[in-house]
């Protein structure tokens, strides 16, 4: 768990040092490692015959600023089963708000039998020797829990979102894997034997109940703090399959717990190097407490993608064409940039640069869902985060009915979640977006990540809460939905949440205003599946959607996926550059294919309710604030997809 779960949430809305070898090249470090292994093996005696029991405390820093702590505990229960616990508790600034978030994971494993503690019996290979894998995330007053057990040849996943439990039965993995303690002991065994690359199959609770490869590669021999003094340590680069982040871990090279006791853990992040270093308990705990004299890192606005110039009339545009690429010299970026086609977004290779992508966001051209997406039940089913079966969610979803009737498109009497004609389904989807936008009255960045049912009750949150709640009310009314993560255009350096916070060129928050023009910030929104096409809906904004969005990935938020679907953006944060090529406004007949005389000017009243609305409804267009542009909800056309 550790740092990976943290990365999934920090940027949304809107030894120290890097892991690279320093001084001698890696070849010299490998020679030194071989010498250390030979000397240590002679002094080691027999392999570990019992599990080292210990509690460790780590101070967590970002860019050398203390932000929290990590605590690990290993114990053995009366029945001989082994238990390991990890907790990370940190506080950071997200815009002008301070968020405190905690993550806890627990593994309960079958008794470890000497002489080879890491070895499993054949019958345990599909369970990793694990009897319980639990995950608990806490943000402000919000809590989501997950527990995985292994009854009768299956996996039972129980998720709890603060309101109710959700139970899923899943097949066990086909491949063998190891629980956390056995995986660590297998690393220790190979490390002590002098290996320089170690691959272990295990599970990470924050990534859901799936087996991943944990690959550790020796990088260098260095010095690290062991809680009392600097000691010699082996430093390993750690890669989790399908998770595009660079991690490091440092271990003792001498003594009874060499290759087992972790001294440091780091994560190379776009806003600074995040490091967990061994510490005494009290200093570690103090790092998570508020301290006005210690400015916390700002982890939202500092990661904006800055444009050379603003996008003109972005809220009135029908289409934008941009080129997206990786910044030159970005060491954390993926080799091949990938962005999805979906919703109003279409992606192709850039004809002018093979390393870049050309992206069109066209509000008149929603993309077809794939056959796999059309068949996916997760887009229709409740989960811990998108708990569409919750009674408060269902009640909130029915507040859309009067809005539909007001617009002259009443829903069938007694409609709950059955299928609707296309026009009514679209009307309902846009009405639900408006309901969520108005329901969340306290819009701020301090919540971090609450479930839909909690947001429905607190009526507070940022873009993540808007996206998750809208997905839930859509499903409650029978409209398949998913959550999107990516970028949103912010014209004046402000937040997509309230537009009140600004940043200067260094990323410093300036509540008074000013700041830059033309930039993209990280964001979340929702897509609804209607008539075989994904329709983008942004409940955070005052408009249903704008061309100022770049889709990076989507997620059903099913319990089995945990936060894995959000990891696509991890390697892109701080590494993207965007160039705007073309912007088509509704007055451009060349791009819209519509008679300009039939396109209403901004801020005009919409046509009659009898007109068909491809991008919104007359009622929703009217609900924009005073003086706000009504586009894209203002394009009236006889064309119906």
């Amino acid at each position: 768990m550790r740092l990976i779960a943290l990365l999934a949430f920090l940027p949304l809305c809107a030894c120290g040092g890097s892991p690279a070898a320093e001084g001698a090249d890696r070849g010299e470090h490998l020679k030194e490692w071989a010498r250390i292994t030979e000397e240590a093996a002679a002094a080691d005696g027999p392999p570990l015959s019992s599990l080292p029991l210990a509690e460790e405390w780590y101070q967590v820093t970002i860019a050398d600023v203390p932000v929290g702590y990590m605590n690990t505990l290993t114990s053995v229960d009366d029945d001989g089963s082994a238990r390991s616990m990890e907790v990370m508790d940190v506080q950071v600034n997200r815009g002008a708000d301070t968020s405190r978030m905690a993550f806890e994971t627990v593994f309960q494993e079958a008794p470890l039998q000497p002489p080879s503690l890491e070895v499993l019996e054949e019958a345990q290979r599909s369970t990793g020797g694990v009897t319980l894998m639990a995950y608990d995330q806490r943000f402000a007053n919000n809590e989501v829990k997950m527990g995985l057990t292994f009854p009768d040849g299956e996996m039972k996943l129980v998720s709890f979102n603060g309101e109710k439990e959700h139970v899923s039965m899943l097949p066990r993995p086909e491949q063998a894997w190891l629980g956390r303690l056995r995986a660590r002991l297998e690393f220790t065994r190979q490390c002590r034997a002098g290996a320089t690359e170690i691959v272990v199959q295990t599970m990470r609770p924050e990534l859901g109940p799936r087996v991943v490869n944990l690959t550790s590669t020796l990088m260098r021999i260095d010095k690290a703090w062991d809680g009392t003094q600097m000691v010699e340590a082996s430093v390993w680069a750690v890669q989790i399959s399908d998770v595009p982040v660079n991690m490091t871990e440092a271990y003792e090279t001498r003594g009874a717990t060499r290759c087992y006791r972790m001294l440091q853990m780091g994560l190379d992040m776009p806003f600074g190097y995040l490091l967990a270093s061994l510490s005494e308990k009290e200093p570690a705990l103090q790092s998570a407490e508020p301290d006005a004299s210690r400015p916390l890192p700002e982890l939202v606005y500092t990661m904006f993608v800055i444009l050379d110039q603003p996008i003109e009339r972005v809220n009135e545009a029908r289409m934008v064409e941009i080129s997206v690429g990786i910044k030159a010299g970005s060491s954390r970026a993926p080799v091949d940039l990938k962005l999805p086609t979906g919703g109003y977004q279409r992606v192709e290779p850039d004809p002018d640069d093979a390393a870049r992508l050309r992206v069109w966001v066209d509000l008149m051209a929603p993309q077809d869902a794939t056959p796999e997406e059309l068949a996916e039940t997760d887009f229709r089913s409740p989960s811990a985060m998108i708990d569409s079966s919750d009674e408060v969610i269902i009640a909130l979803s029915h507040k859309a009915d009067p809005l539909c009737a007001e617009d002259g498109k009443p829903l069938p009497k007694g409609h709950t979640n059955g299928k609707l004609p296309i026009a009514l389904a679209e009307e309902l989807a846009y009405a639900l977006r408006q309901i969520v936008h108005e329901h969340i009255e306290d819009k701020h960045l301090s919540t971090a990540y609450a479930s839909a049912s909690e947001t429905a009750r607190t009526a507070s949150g940022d873009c993540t809460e808007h996206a998750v709640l809208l997905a839930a009310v859509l499903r409650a009314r029978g409209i398949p939905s998913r959550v999107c993560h990516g970028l949103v255009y912010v014209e004046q350096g402000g937040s997509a949440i309230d537009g009140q916070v600004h940043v200067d060129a260094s990323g410093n928050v300036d509540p008074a205003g000013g700041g830059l023009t033309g930039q993209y910030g990280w964001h979340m929104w929702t897509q609804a599946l209607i008539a075989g096409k994904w329709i983008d809906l942004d409940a955070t904004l005052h408009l249903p959607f704008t061309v100022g969005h770049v889709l990076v990935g989507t997620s059903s938020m099913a319990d089995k996926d945990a936060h894995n679907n959000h990891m696509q953006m991890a390697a892109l944060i701080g590494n993207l550059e965007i160039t705007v090529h073309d912007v088509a406004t509704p007055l451009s007949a060349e791009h819209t294919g519509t008679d300009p005389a039939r396109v209403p000017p901004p801020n005009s009243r919409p046509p009659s309710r009898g007109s068909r609305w491809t991008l919104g409804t007359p009622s929703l267009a009217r609900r924009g604030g005073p003086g706000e542009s009504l586009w894209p909800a203002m394009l009236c056309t006889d064309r119906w997809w």
Side-chain angles (χ1 to χ4, degrees):
M1 182 269 300
R2 299 170 180 165
L3 311 181
I4 297 298
L6 180 64
L7 184 63
F9 302 109
L10 290 181
L12 287 173
C13 297
C15 98
S18 81
E22 298 170 1
D25 61 25
R26 185 167 180 262
E28 293 300 316
H29 287 283
L30 294 180
K31 291 179 182 178
E32 178 68 6
W33 175 242
R35 183 189 65 79
I36 291 171
T37 299
E38 183 178 356
E39 291 180 358
D44 275 347
L48 286 174
S49 58
S50 62
L51 182 67
L53 306 180
E55 182 176 27
E56 304 281 16
W57 291 87
Y58 299 80
Q59 183 186 62
V60 178
T61 61
I62 296 178
D64 298 325
V65 177
V67 297
Y69 68 84
M70 185 172 75
N71 175 223
T72 66
L73 176 64
T74 304
S75 60
V76 174
D77 292 346
D78 293 340
D79 62 358
S81 61
R83 183 180 180 88
S84 63
M85 179 274 298
E86 292 184 0
V87 173
M88 179 176 284
D89 188 343
V90 299
Q91 55 176 342
V92 294
N93 283 339
R94 302 174 74 231
D97 298 313
T98 298
S99 293
R100 185 165 182 175
M101 51 195 77
F103 312 88
E104 178 181 357
T105 59
V106 173
F107 276 79
Q108 194 84 17
E109 303 185 37
L112 288 76
Q113 303 293 340
S116 299
L117 302 181
E118 71 281 357
V119 175
L120 283 173
E121 298 178 5
E122 184 64 31
Q124 298 174 319
R125 292 169 65 84
S126 66
T127 68
V130 175
T131 56
L132 171 68
M133 182 175 76
Y135 174 57
D136 186 350
Q137 66 180 40
R138 298 183 294 275
F139 302 118
N141 297 320
N142 308 304
E143 184 173 22
V144 174
K145 299 180 181 180
M146 179 272 286
L148 185 71
T149 55
F150 300 85
D152 304 324
E154 294 184 291
M155 296 192 298
K156 182 180 181 180
L157 179 64
V158 180
S159 301
F160 180 74
N161 64 7
E163 299 297 331
K164 65 172 65 173
E165 287 186 349
H166 297 261
V167 179
S168 304
M169 301 304 297
L170 306 169
R172 289 186 183 181
E174 295 182 359
Q175 67 269 53
W177 61 285
L178 299 173
R180 177 162 59 198
L181 283 173
R182 284 183 168 85
R184 187 165 179 179
L185 289 167
E186 175 60 19
F187 169 84
T188 299
R189 182 187 69 80
Q190 295 190 44
C191 173
R192 287 187 166 198
T196 58
E197 183 170 287
I198 301 169
V199 181
V200 180
Q201 281 77 40
T202 187
M203 282 193 186
R204 307 277 293 204
E206 74 279 11
L207 298 180
R210 67 186 186 98
V211 176
V212 297
N213 288 337
L214 198 64
T215 303
S216 301
T217 304
L218 180 70
M219 298 300 296
R220 66 183 186 275
I221 307 301
D222 209 335
K223 296 290 185 180
W225 184 253
D226 73 349
T228 58
Q229 61 181 341
M230 298 297 290
V231 299
E232 186 180 67
S234 59
V235 181
W236 301 74
V238 182
Q239 182 67 51
I240 304 172
S241 54
D242 300 324
V243 178
V245 295
N246 299 319
M247 297 175 59
T248 60
E249 293 178 347
Y251 291 88
E252 291 179 324
T253 60
R254 315 278 178 177
T257 56
R258 81 177 183 92
C259 290
Y260 179 84
R261 190 187 189 208
M262 188 180 67
L263 305 178
Q264 287 183 345
M265 179 174 56
L267 182 61
D268 195 11
M269 304 179 83
F271 39 76
Y273 199 69
L274 192 153
L275 189 67
S277 303
L278 271 173
S279 170
E280 298 294 327
K281 178 178 179 179
E282 290 307 316
L285 289 172
Q286 189 61 37
S287 297
E289 296 302 319
D291 183 351
S293 66
R294 185 181 73 235
L296 297 172
E298 199 290 308
L299 306 185
V300 175
Y301 301 139
T302 53
M303 293 179 286
F304 276 13
V305 180
I306 310 301
L307 301 179
D308 291 337
Q309 58 186 4
I311 300 176
E312 297 295 333
R313 301 175 66 187
V314 66
N315 288 344
E316 301 170 25
R318 195 269 302 165
M319 185 278 293
V320 67
E321 178 185 351
I322 62 175
S323 176
V324 183
I326 300 297
K327 287 181 180 178
S330 295
S331 60
R332 295 180 300 269
V335 176
D336 296 318
L337 175 62
K338 295 180 180 180
L339 295 174
T341 288
Y344 295 125
Q345 176 169 298
R346 177 169 59 91
V347 180
E348 296 180 4
D350 194 312
D352 301 326
D353 188 338
R356 298 174 69 89
L357 296 174
R358 192 64 63 96
V359 177
W360 291 265
V361 180
D362 190 337
L363 302 185
M364 286 289 290
Q367 301 297 308
D368 291 331
T370 66
E372 294 77 16
E373 291 169 343
L374 292 172
E376 180 56 70
T377 58
D378 287 343
F379 297 135
R380 299 166 171 81
S381 305
S383 66
M385 289 300 294
I386 301 179
D387 38 340
S388 53
S389 61
D390 178 80
E391 62 273 13
V392 177
I393 296 287
I394 294 173
L396 182 63
S397 74
H398 280 276
K399 289 187 177 181
D401 295 35
L403 299 184
C404 295
E406 174 188 323
D407 192 42
K409 296 181 180 178
L411 302 178
K413 187 175 182 180
H415 176 269
T416 54
N417 60 359
K419 289 186 177 181
L420 292 169
I422 295 175
L424 290 185
E426 188 183 47
E427 175 79 16
L428 176 58
Y430 278 88
L432 289 169
R433 187 217 71 90
Q434 187 70 18
I435 289 295
V436 171
H437 177 75
E438 295 175 351
H439 180 76
I440 301 179
E441 297 179 322
D442 186 10
K443 301 177 189 291
H444 56 77
L445 286 165
S446 61
T447 302
Y449 218 12
S451 68
S453 61
E454 290 179 278
T455 302
R457 288 164 171 81
T458 63
S460 66
D462 60 20
C463 61
T464 59
E465 283 69 46
H466 287 77
V468 168
L469 181 55
L470 178 52
V473 293
L474 284 164
R475 292 184 194 179
R477 300 305 297 273
I479 300 176
S481 65
R482 62 186 183 185
V483 170
C484 304
H485 51 274
L487 296 157
V488 66
Y489 180 78
V490 184
E491 191 162 55
Q492 295 298 328
S495 167
I497 302 301
D498 56 20
Q500 300 303 307
V501 179
H502 303 265
V503 292
D504 63 20
S506 300
N508 300 312
V509 176
D510 174 20
L516 302 171
T517 60
Q519 53 198 308
Y520 282 90
W522 293 94
H523 189 55
M524 284 181 67
W525 64 94
T526 313
Q527 286 180 348
L529 184 57
I530 301 174
K533 298 179 184 290
W534 288 108
I535 306 302
D536 288 288
L537 298 166
D538 195 331
T540 305
L541 305 183
H542 69 278
L543 290 172
F545 200 69
T546 74
V547 299
H549 290 70
V550 179
L551 180 65
V552 170
T554 62
S555 172
S556 68
M557 299 298 290
D559 294 336
K560 67 179 185 293
D561 292 329
H563 309 305
N564 182 56
N565 295 109
H566 295 309
M567 292 302 169
Q568 302 101 316
M569 69 180 182
L572 301 181
I573 297 173
N575 293 317
L576 290 180
E577 60 179 16
I578 297 176
T579 302
V580 179
H581 285 279
D582 188 21
V583 180
T585 67
L587 298 181
S588 173
E590 176 184 355
H591 291 95
T592 63
T594 303
D595 181 357
R598 298 189 60 220
V599 178
N603 300 316
S604 67
R605 292 187 61 81
S608 67
R609 291 173 177 168
S611 302
R612 287 180 167 181
W613 292 78
T614 304
L615 305 173
T617 66
S619 57
L620 294 169
R622 282 199 301 275
R623 292 172 197 143
E628 295 174 345
S629 168
L630 302 181
W631 184 262
M634 282 300 302
L635 182 58
C636 176
T637 176
D638 291 330
R639 187 164 66 87
W640 186 253
W641 52 260

